[in-house]
Amino acid sequence: MPTIADLGGLEILDSRGRPTVLARCTLASGAVGSASVPSGASTGRAEALELRDGDPERYRGLGCRKAVSHLRGELREALKGQTFEHQCELDRALIALDGTDGKARLGANAILAASLAFARAAAEGNSPLYRHLAEAFGHEPITLPRPTVNLFSGGKHAGGQVDIQDVLLIPEAATTMDEALATVYDIYQHAAERAGERYGVRALVADEGGLAPPFPTAEAMIEEALEAISAAGYTPGEEVALAVDVASSHFFQGGLYRLGEEALEAQGMIERLLGWLDAYPIRSIEDGLAEDDWDHWPELRERVGGRALVLGDDLLCSNPRRVDRALKTGATDALLLKVNQIGTLTEADRALKLARSAGWAVTVSARSGETEDDWLADLATGWDGDFIKIGSLTRSERLAKYNRLRAIEEETGFALARWHRDGNP
Ligand code: PGA
Ligand code: ZN
């Protein structure tokens, strides 16, 4: 019976050097858990509020002292001495203490850090975090999430040199995490060498560790990914396929999709995406349309017709209400789950279960601003994610999660998940 004996917080820096929040939770049993939260750059408008200090004299307003002071003050006072049999009881208490719809008072960064630190403390000494998270929320994982790994970056993560945000590799033939990562490493090295030869920017990487040469068009970025796969000796579409995060909310202005030199209406954007599906082995299209373009998402999904996953990130914001709307309107068939978009484990789990109830695929995702914390690997495994999206195989905030997945693989012997639209054996 976990009773909270103490709660603390610390402002730490994320992978972009911006402040973020770490919470530390001590239980009466003596168990201690700490966890830190990530932060996005290409955020969805419907995300829960990340509380920032707004003081332009310090970290250009991005300080997290207020959020930390809520952990050390109000939340500590309210939770100290309280017993929570289940994670959802704590999460409910956190939501009630905040009292707003989008965690706007105490901050989703403070609240999620507390939610995660408690989970870690409750698992401490009992079971590995992935198993604790599985049991606490009634999941029965038998596989590891298949990595979708950022190869090339654009959009807000790479100075906007190409409009679309990520081209990712899906090592489809790999059956183990070990094999998947070795495959991706090979391709990444070839891509880096080729970028060096062609653009002279071998070493430059974007926020998630993806290469960011100045491609002239989105198509050039996708085609170069296919070339790199071939150069590394793999067959595109057979051994290794692609996913794209179009992140189109971020180039949707005045009702038009401003892709390269063009300004496309929704119909034109849908045609463009369908053209990519015809030409390239793309298995998943994330945010192909903008976050508030609800009218056109069902058409996109229908016309994609199951050829690729229609994955909602900014559209859904891991929010059960938005997932429910997408479910009722047929807007998507896959959920990108970013726990900090909603702010507690319990609400994120609700979004995931809703998605699962409709037979959707689930990609558990990191943010572009990350810390060295590795809870995401445990969460994605424990909650039986089909895919995990962490970033590239560079930058230690990414590798912390990949390395944790390797450790979980070693411990469990789980093979990689293999997504099938009609059931996921
Ligand atoms: P973000 O990007 O963390 O900057 O929001 C990740 C994504 O869009 O998937
Ligand atoms: Zn995205």
Side-chain angles (χ1 to χ4, degrees):
M1 259 197 281
T3 301
I4 294 181
D6 202 4
L7 186 67
L10 184 68
E11 183 190 66
I12 62 168
L13 301 184
D14 73 11
S15 55
R16 282 189 279 248
R18 296 177 187 167
T20 188
V21 178
L22 176 140
R24 189 176 296 111
C25 178
T26 308
L27 300 180
S29 66
V32 183
S34 60
S36 57
V37 297
S39 173
S42 74
T43 47
R45 268 205 297 275
E47 293 191 23
L49 182 94
E50 191 177 77
L51 188 63
R52 299 282 183 182
D53 298 341
D55 170 6
E57 302 292 311
R58 193 168 174 276
Y59 288 105
R60 299 186 172 189
L62 297 174
C64 288
R65 283 180 170 167
K66 282 185 193 161
V68 165
S69 74
H70 291 323
L71 280 165
R72 292 181 178 174
E74 188 175 334
L75 288 171
R76 178 173 183 269
E77 287 318 306
L79 300 173
K80 229 174 110 175
Q82 301 251 25
T83 301
F84 299 98
E85 302 270 6
H86 188 278
Q87 179 76 37
C88 71
E89 292 171 20
L90 170 74
D91 290 346
R92 232 179 277 135
L94 290 167
I95 293 165
L97 283 165
D98 176 76
T100 69
D101 202 29
K103 304 186 178 60
R105 198 174 70 80
L106 298 172
N109 39 2
I111 290 173
L112 179 62
S115 179
L116 286 166
F118 176 79
R120 268 241 169 86
E124 173 68 26
N126 295 317
S127 60
L129 185 60
Y130 63 86
R131 199 176 302 147
H132 173 76
L133 290 171
E135 285 168 7
F137 290 96
H139 299 284
E140 291 175 2
I142 50 166
T143 53
L144 291 174
R146 184 168 297 271
T148 59
V149 186
N150 185 310
L151 180 65
F152 294 130
S153 297
K156 288 203 162 180
H157 296 169
Q161 45 89 13
V162 179
D163 299 301
I164 70 171
Q165 191 170 286
D166 307 321
V167 174
L168 305 108
L169 301 170
I170 310 181
E172 286 195 317
T175 57
T176 64
M177 190 62 69
D178 180 26
E179 203 186 323
L181 298 184
T183 302
V184 167
Y185 176 84
D186 264 359
I187 298 166
Y188 188 93
Q189 296 309 317
H190 278 276
E193 283 155 16
R194 291 170 58 87
E197 283 160 22
R198 193 161 304 174
Y199 299 106
V201 286
R202 186 187 190 289
L204 284 183
V205 299
D207 286 9
E208 295 184 347
L211 299 160
F215 293 116
T217 60
E219 286 80 7
M221 189 176 179
I222 297 169
E223 283 162 18
E224 182 55 26
L226 296 173
E227 294 287 334
I229 294 171
S230 300
Y234 299 96
T235 313
E238 283 181 29
E239 290 162 296
V240 181
L242 300 180
V244 289
D245 182 0
V246 184
S248 68
S249 307
H250 305 286
F251 57 83
F252 182 67
Q253 285 141 15
L256 295 171
Y257 292 89
R258 300 184 184 275
L259 185 61
E261 307 287 293
E262 294 167 275
L264 303 169
E265 300 203 336
Q267 294 302 335
M269 189 67 204
I270 292 173
E271 294 300 336
R272 177 63 51 91
L273 297 172
L274 294 172
W276 292 354
L277 286 186
D278 290 339
Y280 312 123
I282 293 174
R283 306 284 187 255
S284 168
I285 301 180
E286 179 179 338
D287 284 347
L289 295 175
E291 59 195 329
D292 292 320
D293 198 357
W294 286 96
D295 287 350
H296 296 102
W297 276 85
E299 182 183 344
L300 172 65
R301 178 182 162 174
E302 198 180 310
R303 295 197 55 202
V304 166
R307 285 193 287 160
L309 294 170
V310 177
L311 178 61
D313 171 15
D314 291 353
L315 178 81
L316 304 173
C317 284
S318 307
N319 184 323
R321 283 204 297 263
R322 292 177 77 93
V323 172
D324 191 47
R325 180 171 175 187
L327 215 128
K328 290 186 173 129
T329 54
T332 64
D333 58 16
L335 166 70
L336 193 85
L337 190 75
K338 290 168 166 168
V339 180
N340 83 317
Q341 285 180 323
I342 186 70
T344 61
L345 285 168
T346 300
E347 291 160 288
D349 176 67
R350 200 175 309 141
L352 181 147
K353 284 184 178 137
L354 266 174
R356 285 264 185 253
S357 73
W360 294 6
V362 176
T363 296
V364 177
S365 175
R367 301 307 304 252
S368 52
E370 271 292 338
T371 75
E372 62 276 25
D373 203 332
D374 57 9
W375 55 260
L376 190 82
D378 288 79
L379 183 100
T381 307
W383 286 8
D384 210 14
D386 302 294
F387 300 98
I388 186 167
K389 181 183 169 194
I390 300 172
S392 275
L393 291 191
T394 55
R395 304 184 52 137
S396 291
E397 78 279 5
R398 315 286 146 192
L399 271 302
K401 283 89 166 158
Y402 286 117
N403 288 338
R404 176 69 187 141
L405 286 168
R406 291 285 285 117
I408 297 173
E409 173 175 52
E410 174 85 3
E411 198 172 300
T412 58
F414 287 172
L416 293 185
R418 203 163 274 292
W419 166 254
H420 292 290
R421 193 164 292 277
D422 305 307
N424 197 12

